[in-house]
Amino acid sequence: MFGYAVPTPKDLEGDMQRGSDRLSVHRDDEMKHELQGLLKSGHPTRTEEWHDPEPTADDDPEVAHGPVTPGRGPSLLESLRLELARHLTRGAFPATPRELARALRRDNAPDALVERVEGLPHKSHYATVQELAEAVTGSGRGGT
């Protein structure tokens, strides 16, 4: 062989790694060390202040119904509107309660939801999910 040695699989046996090697072993250990505090404490442990999220300022615009916090769940209207939107497409509107109930059944919506829509006045028409949700919950002006 003219000065070239081709390594065989037997020669490479000790050097081969299995799995991902995007980072070196040293960097992997460094990252594990960085994450240990977070995983054990459950909150950020950074000493650099610029890493932490900035608190709200006094002149920040108000978010509708206040900030989203773990303790504040959606209202009945919001929950109902979300559930209706999951089962009704834009093509379902404008429609009467009977047509909307049929569309809900086709999409396998919960029976309780279908029954609430069927209980609405038969002659009314609803143009949006919001109007329908307001009519079902009794808030707002409902359909026309």
Side-chain angles (χ1 to χ4, degrees), residues 84 87-104 106 117-118 120-133 135-136 141-144:
L84 287 166
H87 297 287
L88 296 172
T89 63
R90 289 182 182 165
F93 294 96
T96 63
R98 187 175 185 176
E99 295 165 337
L100 292 168
R102 221 178 294 133
L104 287 168
R106 272 194 308 268
V117 171
E118 285 176 333
L120 294 172
H122 295 291
K123 298 205 183 231
S124 54
H125 287 291
Y126 301 97
T128 63
V129 172
Q130 179 69 28
E131 283 182 14
L132 180 61
V136 170
R141 63 173 193 49
T144 55

Side-chain angles (χ1 to χ4, degrees), residues 20 22-37 39:
S20 172
R22 286 183 51 208
L23 305 172
S24 69
V25 174
H26 301 292
R27 181 67 178 133
D28 283 344
D29 290 340
E30 184 180 321
M31 289 175 71
K32 282 181 194 173
H33 179 71
E34 288 175 4
L35 286 174
Q36 274 183 344
L39 295 174

